Amino acid sequence: MTTRFQDTLTGDVRPLEPRETGHVRIYSCGPTVYGPAHIGNFRSFLFADLLVRYLRYRGLRVTWVMNLTDIDDKIIRGAAAEGITTGALADRYAERFLADADSLGMTRPDVLPRATDHIPQIADLVATLVEKGHAYRTDDGSYFFRIASWSAYGQLARLDPDAMRVGERVEADEYGKDDVRDFALWKGPKPGEPSWDTRIGPGRPGWHIECSAMSMAHLGPSFDIHTGGVDLVFPHHEDEIAQSEAATGLPFVGTWMHCAHLRMGGEKMAKRTGNIARVADLIASGVSPRALRCALISVHYRAPLNYTDESLPAAAAAVERLDALLAALAAYSEDRPDDAGLPAVLDAMRDGFESALDDDLNVSAALGAVFEGVRELNRRLDARTMSTGDAARAAASLRALDAVFGFTAPADDELAPDLALMLEARATARATKQWAESDRLRDELAAAGIAVEDTRDGQRWRKVAPSG
RNA sequence: GGCGACGUGGCGAAGUGGCCUAACGCGGGGGUCUGCAAAACCCUUAUUCAUCGGUUCGACUCCGAUCGUCGCCUCCA
């Protein structure tokens, strides 16, 4: 069984064949750091995270690059409104982005390049495009890509350039472009705007060019996978292909993968419509980050995901089911021969998980396989057919798969000393049948976020996320 | 106007020619276990896959039409 992904450009579902055997190079369009990202943005970042985690699970080496766009119109506007530099504003929201990403358990990309750190590379790319006749300079010092020079333009988005609604939807000519559909590579200097002096003159980078320059700088002229939200297909990624391939003469990306929108109230979550929710706000209101992560990644990446009030409680319950099993396996102790049926259960779980994710990252089916395994393990726990060693092996298997989802808490969670004392006191109370006292301690621990459950193996406890 | 995606139980969602009287998660109902709980397990909750036609021995799955929802064509994850 090979790992297959659907490519937006061709529509084909093809086996992943990295250019370098065993090493996958991935570029993900990251946030523009002009404000806090919302959970719709994070759906797309977490989809890339899932992809990276799975490929690593599969034993592949992955180099993952995610850019931070730290210069654009919105950043300039925001900085001006606050009377600070664009760099200061960008730094603030870059930090905020990383904090949100961390709280969601997102894998840190190997490289998080910033546009303003790649000005020379961007200028070089523009210069090359001019040399090759694909770009031109206008009177104000801006540079544009000449769409007419690139016959494949529109292929990714399946758009006919001649049918584009020029004048109505396409921005009217403001810089003296040759063709109103040509897009900016470089914006000439303007009063009050940051500007960099380069070999192509002063100014600042356009949006699309930075991703071409940074992906080439960190992954080479051709790499394996490029991810982003569907809303980036056009014009952003279309433009990236045109300018990159026109400059290098090489195929830019092996597989384009695009994540469908997160919806709220039936429509795309977007700042401009105001139907947004933010990671830090949700967590501050008591939502479990792991439940939020689960809610954002457990639907196939190419399917729209509607976020509602019920999303979080349902996801939280699913995550807790996993937590509860892991806690039960850790507490389980039975001196008996190994359960002969267990290996088949664990194999079936793993096989179902892998074949589902191999199939274009079918996360729902993968979760189905895992939860079938969960039920089977719970049965064996109830029936006490497993040995202590079986329980440890089962837990290890489950954690290996969960490393891809990133839902469960770390195994070595320690209990605070005062809570540990309460737990001990409760065990003593129960031993002497002081029910009132033991119930009081259970309530108190629950209030501290610790669920205590009594079993044949004695008390077992686990941390429970606040409801949300 | 052009292009594209989608419509499966109370909710989310997998399946995509026969094993589907339809996985899995959440929720509901009943039961077992428990000092009481919780967790867990068992039973139960769609003879049906937007609607209508067609192809086929056979369709949720293929084709067509209709209705509905969403997205892109402008900044956007």
Side-chain angles (χ1 to χ4, degrees):
Chain A
M1 180 71 78
T2 55
T3 306
R4 287 158 282 121
F5 297 123
Q6 183 168 131
D7 175 25
T8 307
L9 182 62
T10 60
D12 299 340
V13 178
R14 277 184 273 108
L16 175 68
E17 282 162 0
R19 264 151 235 272
E20 180 191 332
T21 305
H23 182 187
V24 187
R25 293 179 171 81
I26 303 178
Y27 185 91
S28 297
C29 278
T32 299
V33 285
Y34 70 102
H38 55 69
I39 60 173
N41 300 317
F42 274 102
R43 180 191 186 194
S44 139
F45 305 144
L46 289 176
F47 140 65
D49 178 27
L50 182 74
L51 171 69
V52 168
R53 283 172 182 250
Y54 184 60
L55 294 178
R56 286 183 176 152
Y57 165 92
R58 273 303 208 178
L60 291 156
R61 179 183 161 206
V62 176
T63 299
W64 186 25
V65 177
M66 177 180 281
N67 73 292
L68 298 176
T69 298
D70 63 349
I71 183 70
D72 89 320
D73 293 352
K74 286 185 212 128
I75 293 173
I76 292 171
R77 239 180 285 136
E82 290 194 39
I84 58 175
T85 64
T86 52
L89 187 88
D91 283 349
R92 179 160 88 215
Y93 289 113
E95 264 175 50
R96 172 73 182 270
F97 165 71
L98 292 176
D100 287 345
D102 285 351
S103 60
L104 287 174
M106 188 182 111
T107 307
R108 270 292 172 104
D110 300 294
V111 192
L112 285 155
R114 299 192 186 201
T116 60
D117 290 335
H118 295 75
I119 300 292
Q121 292 94 322
I122 289 169
D124 285 347
L125 199 51
V126 175
T128 302
L129 287 166
V130 172
E131 280 161 27
K132 295 199 173 182
H134 293 291
Y136 57 92
R137 184 179 188 276
T138 54
D139 292 341
D140 66 344
S142 295
Y143 290 81
F144 291 90
F145 184 90
R146 193 187 308 282
I147 283 174
S149 77
W150 193 251
S151 60
Y153 194 79
Q155 209 173 314
L156 180 73
R158 290 172 177 75
L159 225 53
D160 177 2
D162 294 330
M164 280 166 63
R165 304 185 123 197
V166 177
E168 188 181 339
R169 306 274 287 192
V170 173
E171 202 177 312
D173 187 350
E174 53 171 312
Y175 288 109
K177 294 188 254 183
D178 286 4
D179 184 319
V180 287
R181 296 164 309 187
D182 288 349
F183 61 89
L185 296 165
W186 184 261
K187 298 186 176 187
K190 276 191 189 168
E193 286 193 0
S195 173
W196 285 261
D197 285 318
T198 69
R199 58 179 287 204
I200 57 166
R204 62 181 172 97
W207 173 36
H208 318 300
I209 194 75
E210 65 172 85
C211 284
S212 291
M214 291 192 282
S215 59
M216 286 182 202
H218 298 280
L219 299 172
S222 299
F223 55 94
D224 302 303
I225 298 175
H226 192 132
T227 76
V230 272
D231 46 9
L232 296 185
V233 171
F234 192 90
H236 186 54
H237 291 161
E238 191 72 59
D239 292 353
E240 276 186 51
I241 295 175
Q243 68 203 178
S244 301
E245 299 195 350
T248 66
L250 298 168
F252 182 44
V253 167
T255 304
W256 287 92
M257 296 176 77
H258 290 99
C259 178
H261 285 138
L262 181 70
R263 293 184 194 164
M264 193 178 194
E267 55 179 10
K268 169 184 171 180
M269 180 172 287
K271 201 176 177 188
R272 67 174 298 172
T273 43
N275 59 334
I276 58 170
R278 289 186 172 126
V279 176
D281 297 343
L282 288 170
I283 292 173
S285 74
V287 168
S288 147
R290 296 190 289 131
L292 180 55
R293 179 181 172 90
C294 177
L296 291 176
I297 69 171
S298 51
V299 170
H300 185 94
Y301 72 92
R302 278 190 287 104
L305 197 178
N306 200 23
Y307 179 84
T308 70
D309 290 342
E310 283 165 43
S311 306
L312 257 8
V319 167
E320 267 188 52
R321 183 163 160 79
L322 252 21
D323 280 351
L325 172 57
L326 251 7
L329 287 170
Y332 183 87
S333 171
E334 191 70 49
D335 187 14
R336 71 183 316 290
D338 291 345
D339 182 336
L342 183 66
V345 171
L346 300 181
D347 286 351
M349 178 166 76
R350 192 200 56 229
D351 291 349
F353 168 89
E354 289 178 0
S355 60
L357 290 178
D358 275 342
D359 182 16
D360 197 26
L361 231 48
N362 187 341
V363 69
S364 301
L367 279 166
V370 168
F371 278 104
E372 277 177 26
V374 166
R375 190 184 344 100
E376 194 52 50
L377 290 174
N378 274 321
R379 275 189 195 132
R380 278 157 204 271
L381 231 31
D382 263 22
R384 303 209 135 243
T385 57
M386 292 195 289
S387 66
T388 307
D390 282 334
R393 279 187 287 280
S397 295
L398 200 56
R399 285 194 189 278
L401 306 190
D402 178 68
V404 174
F405 297 132
F407 291 159
T408 67
D412 54 1
D413 249 3
E414 291 270 318
L415 206 51
D418 55 324
L419 297 177
L421 279 176
M422 285 165 69
L423 212 53
E424 258 178 62
R426 182 169 181 275
T428 309
R430 288 199 78 235
T432 53
K433 297 190 192 296
Q434 294 172 262
W435 306 130
E437 174 65 1
S438 83
D439 288 353
R440 188 189 65 75
L441 286 164
R442 184 169 62 197
D443 289 345
E444 224 174 290
L445 283 158
I450 302 297
V452 185
E453 290 152 5
D454 299 312
T455 75
R456 265 172 66 175
D457 304 307
Q459 286 184 330
R460 71 173 180 235
W461 62 273
R462 63 194 159 88
K463 291 186 178 168
V464 174
S467 65

